[in-house]
Amino acid sequence: MSENEKGVDFFFEVIKKRRSCRHFDSKPVPKEILNKIVYSAHRAPTGGNIPYRFVILVDDPTQLKLLKMVSQGFQGEANAALVICTNVRIAEEGGKIADDSSHIDAGAAAENAVLAAYAMGLGASFVKSYSEAAVRGVLNIPDYCRTEIIVSLGFPSRNEPPPIKKGKAGKITYANFYGNEKK
Amino acid sequence: MTYKDSEKTDRLEENLFELALFLLTSARGCLDEPRIYGSFRLMDALSKLCDVYSKSNRLESDNFLAQIKEQVDRDKYKNIQSQEEFIKSMDDLLVKFTQELKRRYGTSSNTT
């Protein structure tokens, strides 16, 4: 198997094995790993290449504790978090489409971060249940910026079981036209 | 004095403060989150409340609540996978609580 094929295999393995991690080890995450995760988040696209997205890496234990306290959906004792935000002033300069895209682009950054985390042996989870007002207060985020999503990060303390597949409400893949079943 | 500076080993006030804030953020979140999350947050709050007992030297340890916490922590994520299982676990906890309630109030042997 060529190096390229090995790389492709590893890439799909990471995608396949990713789970929302809710049980973390207390082992701190090295700074180099966190920096690579931040880099991965920034590598995600933004609409029109407009620089409206920024991230806040929270790894100070007290700041992290406060962030968890105002994020009811933050599960487990993660050792760090990445808060992905939009500078609304900059986004609005790009018109409605840029403002709309900022939500999607935050998701893209979050997914990049999560996949990078898994590739380096970490666990991670999206956290969307939090108090926007309180998170802004804890992190001193100005009122012209918006928090989009938080990614919890840490070494997993156990293998998360694969999710039980819920019944699909309908087809999720069509070919070329809506309703055209993919062969 | 802040919690950060405090040298107290018993963090009763700090843990209660955290629980109070968790209840508030959850209450606010319930307006925007899926309905089932309301039950999940309350189960999570129950787990945190049980924790308050075990982490404090000033409160008498409560074995019943410690056992309840184990079950809550084991089953609270079931809401994501199977709502039925999640509800079943809550009902099971309620049966245990009712038995304990009757034992604590001395009505276990009463018949009507």
Side-chain angles (χ1 to χ4, degrees):
Chain A
M1 191 184 279
S2 71
E3 287 304 308
N4 187 48
E5 285 168 335
K6 280 182 194 166
V8 170
D9 273 5
F10 180 67
F11 177 74
F12 281 102
E13 198 63 15
V14 168
I15 288 181
K16 189 178 168 189
K17 289 198 168 160
R18 185 209 60 79
R19 300 272 182 274
S20 291
C21 181
R22 299 184 184 88
H23 302 92
F24 296 95
D25 200 276
S26 58
K27 194 169 101 179
V29 182
K31 202 79 178 172
E32 313 85 74
I33 289 184
L34 291 174
N35 289 342
K36 281 183 180 169
I37 291 169
V38 169
Y39 168 81
S40 305
H42 285 312
R43 290 297 298 161
T46 56
N49 199 25
I50 303 168
Y52 44 65
R53 185 181 58 219
F54 66 94
V55 304
I56 303 176
L57 175 65
V58 182
D59 61 349
D60 172 78
T62 304
Q63 274 297 85
L64 188 62
K65 185 178 170 77
L66 266 54
L67 180 66
K68 285 178 192 170
M69 281 169 61
V70 295
S71 307
Q72 72 274 22
F74 205 118
Q75 298 292 320
E77 296 303 314
N79 284 303
L82 196 62
V83 184
I84 299 172
C85 308
T86 297
N87 184 321
V88 179
R89 273 187 194 161
I90 298 174
E92 281 175 350
E93 284 171 20
K96 185 180 179 305
I97 195 161
D99 195 37
D100 289 348
S101 295
S102 63
H103 300 297
I104 298 162
D105 298 338
E111 183 66 0
N112 268 14
V114 165
L115 292 178
Y118 272 80
M120 294 185 286
L122 262 62
S125 182
F126 284 9
V127 180
K128 190 57 192 162
S129 293
Y130 54 81
S131 161
E132 168 78 13
V135 168
R136 294 159 77 94
V138 166
L139 302 178
N140 293 343
I141 296 173
D143 58 6
Y144 53 86
C145 297
R146 178 173 65 217
T147 64
E148 302 284 3
I149 193 164
I150 299 172
V151 178
S152 60
L153 297 161
F155 286 102
S157 63
R158 63 169 93 157
N159 286 330
E160 302 286 337
I164 294 170
K165 294 280 179 208
K166 288 183 180 174
K168 289 173 187 166
K171 296 282 179 200
I172 56 170
T173 308
Y174 297 119
N176 299 315
F177 299 99
Y178 177 80
N180 186 29
E181 202 168 322
K182 187 177 179 297
K183 298 282 189 290
Chain B
M1 176 67 80
T2 65
Y3 290 139
K4 204 176 173 182
D5 304 328
S6 173
E7 287 175 3
K8 278 201 296 191
T9 51
D10 186 328
R11 301 187 155 186
L12 178 60
E13 288 82 4
E14 184 180 348
N15 290 330
L16 285 174
F17 179 82
E18 288 179 21
L19 179 58
L21 185 51
F22 179 81
L23 288 171
L24 178 61
T25 54
S26 297
R28 176 62 185 86
C30 278
L31 295 171
D32 304 321
E33 292 176 344
R35 218 176 105 196
I36 190 74
Y37 277 32
S39 297
F40 173 60
R41 300 295 174 219
L42 286 170
M43 288 283 273
D44 218 6
L46 172 58
S47 167
K48 289 173 193 289
L49 180 63
C50 295
D51 246 356
V52 169
Y53 277 87
S54 62
K55 286 179 179 172
S56 172
N57 305 324
R58 281 177 282 161
L59 295 173
E60 252 183 69
S61 61
D62 191 313
N63 288 337
F64 172 74
L65 288 180
Q67 284 168 16
I68 289 295
K69 180 184 157 50
E70 271 182 34
Q71 185 175 340
V72 171
D73 288 347
R74 193 189 63 219
D75 292 348
K76 66 183 179 184
Y77 294 120
K78 283 185 174 170
N79 80 87
I80 299 165
Q81 298 171 336
S82 162
Q83 200 164 314
E84 272 177 26
E85 294 264 319
F86 183 55
I87 292 168
K88 202 173 143 204
S89 177
M90 284 191 289
D91 285 342
D92 182 53
L93 285 165
L94 279 165
V95 169
K96 288 177 180 164
F97 255 97
T98 308
Q99 287 165 350
E100 183 66 9
L101 175 75
K102 289 166 80 175
R103 190 190 69 75
R104 290 191 186 198
Y105 284 81
T107 61
S108 309
S109 55
N110 281 4
T111 51
T112 51

